[in-house]
Amino acid sequence: MNVSVRQLSGSHFLTTVDNVLRTTGISPQHLELEITESMMIEDAQHIHQLIAQIRTRGIKVALDDFGTGYSSLSSLQQLPIDKLKIDRSFVFGVDSKEEDRLLVEMIINLGKLLGYTVIAEGVETIEQQHVLQSLGCDMVQGYYYSRPLGGDAWQAYLLAH
């Protein structure tokens, strides 16, 4: 679930998350919140503390659009996250441009060294998927698999695949 800066900065965010878990009956281990790299800069200390509290509930946190923001490598190693999502702008040429492949390989290796699960966004071709798999990327997502789907369409897709 994508979370905005406004939502995360709200004074009742944790209460809202707890209410959603209670109301839906979803297990916290099945919920993942995605935050963007730029969010981590806004009020870094507050956001880090909030994310740590989210993770103590068993909820996973992914850093979305990695590489497009302004965070430093030193802040990356201190982020209380579980997953690192490589922005689609880096994935686009991974199968055709050596410099794109090298950059993605570096991000994958960095993420793994820091203990994160690494996900590539924006996979549109089997060739991109194969390159990412060969580089050791843990997961991929993109139009190659499916366009975004609503609730009923998602359930039908899940049952069919």
Side-chain angles (χ1 to χ4, degrees), residues 82-150:
D82 303 287
K83 298 179 180 181
L84 187 67
K85 296 185 80 174
I86 303 171
D87 187 73
R88 67 182 311 278
S89 61
F90 299 109
V91 172
F92 183 76
V94 74
D95 61 328
S96 59
K97 296 183 195 171
E98 181 66 11
E99 60 272 15
D100 287 0
R101 189 193 65 73
L102 289 171
L103 187 58
V104 168
E105 182 177 22
M106 184 221 34
I107 295 170
I108 291 169
N109 290 336
L110 177 64
K112 289 190 169 276
L113 285 170
L114 292 172
Y116 303 143
T117 298
V118 180
I119 304 167
E121 297 180 303
V123 175
E124 296 182 1
T125 67
I126 188 74
E127 292 82 12
Q128 291 170 335
Q129 191 264 338
H130 284 197
V131 170
L132 291 161
Q133 185 177 20
S134 74
L135 294 175
C137 192
D138 297 306
M139 301 171 137
V140 295
Q141 67 183 62
Y143 289 170
Y144 174 69
Y145 302 97
S146 175
R147 299 246 181 224
L149 302 170

Side-chain angles (χ1 to χ4, degrees), residues 54-75:
I54 291 167
R55 291 182 71 218
T56 62
R57 288 164 164 75
I59 299 168
K60 301 285 185 223
V61 178
L63 183 64
D64 199 14
D65 300 334
F66 178 74
T68 61
Y70 302 101
S71 68
S72 68
L73 291 178
S74 65
S75 68

Side-chain angles (χ1 to χ4, degrees), residues 2-22:
N2 289 320
V3 179
S4 72
V5 173
R6 187 175 182 169
Q7 289 171 314
L8 202 58
S9 300
S11 60
H12 300 345
F13 183 76
L14 287 175
T15 303
T16 301
V17 169
D18 290 339
N19 287 338
V20 167
L21 291 172
R22 190 173 37 264

